[in-house]
Amino acid sequence: AQRVTQPEKLLSVFKGAPVELKCNYSYSGSPELFWYVQYSRQRLQLLLRHISRESIKGFTADLNKGETSFHLKKPFAQEEDSAMYYCALSGRSYNTDKLIFGTGTRLQVFP
Amino acid sequence: SAVISQKPSRDICQRGTSLTIQCQVDSQVTMMFWYRQQPGQSLTLIATANQGSEATYESGFVIDKFPISRPNLTFSTLTVSNLSPEDSSIYLCSVNRYTEAFFGQGTRLTVV
């Protein structure tokens, strides 16, 4: 079964601390994985995708197929990083563009 | 990118009634997706709306409860029928553009 698991509902850190938001997936095929973010009073938007291997706003995520993980990391958290983060998997191997989302992790960065 | 206008942004409805949510995209797209986000839970795909054909519903969602229209390549509606308090949720429409998903601002539905 296709599934995305985000074990932490809430992650609280102080500004300047490292951040790691965990994401594990279950998928029989070659997954495409994404992190989406929703800032307060804004719509859900793409943060980054694993195929791009890019760093966005200081965030990176590496796909680890052995551990079936796609954790989101940032070495030094900023207050403006406070938001809801969703890990998502695309069912592209099944010829569909639909996304399967995790339950989300709320990141709170305190000053 | 894709700009999606979704309305209404929120509504309070009586149980037993229906609410129709509209989603307008600024360019033509093949598929439009409707998601539900229940309080404290993840986004769950309700159905995929294709222009000119019946929508494809996910397990647990049926057309009688969530009828969808897709009259053209830039517009879709989702109706939530025979409302009950359990339908209180945020409903989102979404489209994909070059593997990136874009979302409407959501419709917050409260059923009383």
Side-chain angles (χ1 to χ4, degrees):
Chain A
Q2 304 168 59
R3 187 168 57 245
V4 177
T5 303
Q6 293 179 253
E8 303 140 329
K9 285 195 170 183
L10 175 65
L11 184 62
S12 298
V13 301
F14 286 100
K15 177 182 172 180
V19 169
E20 182 178 50
L21 286 77
K22 297 188 187 303
C23 172
N24 288 88
Y25 66 90
S26 172
Y27 188 73
S28 55
S30 296
E32 289 193 40
L33 285 152
F34 306 83
W35 278 98
Y36 281 83
V37 60
Q38 189 167 27
Y39 300 102
S40 178
R41 298 179 185 174
Q42 294 187 29
R43 62 186 69 193
L44 195 61
Q45 60 187 283
L46 178 67
L47 179 63
L48 54 80
R49 67 192 90 188
H50 90 270
I51 59 174
S52 300
R53 296 181 178 272
E54 58 197 345
S55 173
I56 302 293
K57 299 184 178 182
F59 285 98
T60 59
D62 292 318
L63 178 62
N64 185 322
K65 291 186 178 181
E67 296 182 0
T68 60
S69 68
F70 188 56
H71 302 327
L72 183 67
K73 300 178 183 179
K74 184 169 183 176
F76 308 104
Q78 303 298 315
E79 290 179 68
E80 55 265 30
D81 296 328
S82 296
M84 195 73 183
Y85 292 81
Y86 293 94
C87 183
L89 179 153
S90 170
R92 195 164 298 280
S93 293
Y94 294 96
N95 197 31
T96 173
D97 287 332
K98 67 180 183 183
L99 289 171
I100 299 165
F101 286 88
T103 50
T105 298
R106 180 170 298 281
L107 175 63
Q108 289 182 333
V109 182
F110 295 110
Chain B
S1 68
V3 178
I4 301 174
S5 298
Q6 185 177 337
K7 54 183 178 182
S9 58
R10 61 178 62 228
D11 206 343
I12 301 173
C13 299
Q14 298 286 330
R15 65 179 69 197
T17 63
S18 299
L19 175 69
T20 296
I21 303 167
Q22 299 180 4
C23 183
Q24 178 77 49
V25 188
D26 66 339
S27 57
Q28 295 183 345
V29 291
T30 304
M31 290 186 285
M32 296 178 73
F33 303 91
W34 287 99
Y35 289 88
R36 180 175 72 183
Q37 185 175 25
Q38 293 180 302
Q41 299 190 27
S42 181
L43 285 79
T44 302
L45 183 65
I46 297 170
T48 303
N50 294 302
Q51 196 270 333
S53 64
E54 293 282 334
T56 303
Y57 288 83
E58 298 299 306
S59 176
F61 298 96
V62 296
I63 188 171
D64 289 346
K65 177 68 176 177
F66 299 98
I68 287 172
S69 78
R70 184 78 200 277
N72 57 54
L73 289 172
T74 63
F75 187 79
S76 178
T77 67
L78 169 74
T79 299
V80 189
S81 305
N82 190 24
L83 290 168
S84 68
E86 293 71 37
D87 295 320
S88 296
S89 187
I90 296 174
Y91 294 85
L92 293 157
C93 68
S94 173
V95 302
N96 288 351
R97 185 69 47 80
Y98 302 113
T99 76
E100 178 175 349
F102 294 89
F103 293 86
Q105 70 268 39
T107 297
R108 182 180 295 273
L109 168 62
T110 303
V111 182
V112 297

